């Protein structure tokens, strides 16, 4: 596929771990039909990630952390059907009508680290 033919979701995602391919694809397909607006964001993401045995850790305002994004849901999804989990973000785009998936990068590394520490604390309880 030529880079000019890539979808917005593909452009938003840096090269992902190959072990995430099926889970990411399934999650993106589940999120594709989002129509409920900002009020339904959390519930829609929770249902979609639950369908692939993942978890919604928390949701927060984007506060400029991710471009063209109003809210971020921090998710944990299985890597290629294994028990190993990966942290990714579901981003509610400005306007509240579309959700895109992003993998952590240098601008969101602190959020990813916080999420992983959050999981570590929960596992110790």
């Amino acid at each position: 596929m030529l880079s000019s033919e890539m979808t917005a979701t593909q452009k938003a995602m840096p090269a992902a771990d190959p072990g995430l391919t099926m889970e990411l694809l399934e999650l993106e397909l589940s999120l594709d039909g989002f129509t409920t607006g900002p009020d339904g964001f959390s519930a829609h993401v929770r249902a979609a990630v639950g369908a692939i045995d993942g978890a919604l850790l928390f949701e927060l305002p984007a506060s400029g952390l991710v471009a063209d994004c109003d809210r971020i849901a921090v998710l944990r999804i299985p890597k290629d059907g294994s028990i190993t989990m990966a942290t990714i973000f579901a981003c509610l785009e400005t306007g509240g009508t579309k959700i895109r998936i992003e993998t952590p990068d240098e601008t969101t590394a602190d959020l990813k680290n916080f999420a992983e520490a959050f999981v570590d604390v929960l596992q110790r309880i």
Side-chain angles (χ1 to χ4, degrees), residues 1-2 5 13-14 22 24 28-29 39 45 53 62 75 78-82 84 93 101 112 124-125:
M1 176 185 332
L2 298 174
E5 296 174 9
M13 293 183 57
M22 287 305 296
L24 280 175
E28 285 183 353
L29 290 172
D39 292 336
V45 171
D53 296 323
L75 313 175
K79 286 185 177 182
D80 200 25
S82 73
T84 304
E93 291 188 354
I101 298 296
K112 176 185 182 265
R124 292 174 190 229
I125 293 178

Side-chain angles (χ1 to χ4, degrees), residues 87-104:
T87 302
I88 62 168
F89 307 123
C91 301
L92 180 63
E93 291 188 354
T94 305
T97 59
K98 186 173 179 184
I99 300 171
R100 71 177 186 268
I101 298 296
E102 294 211 7
T103 55

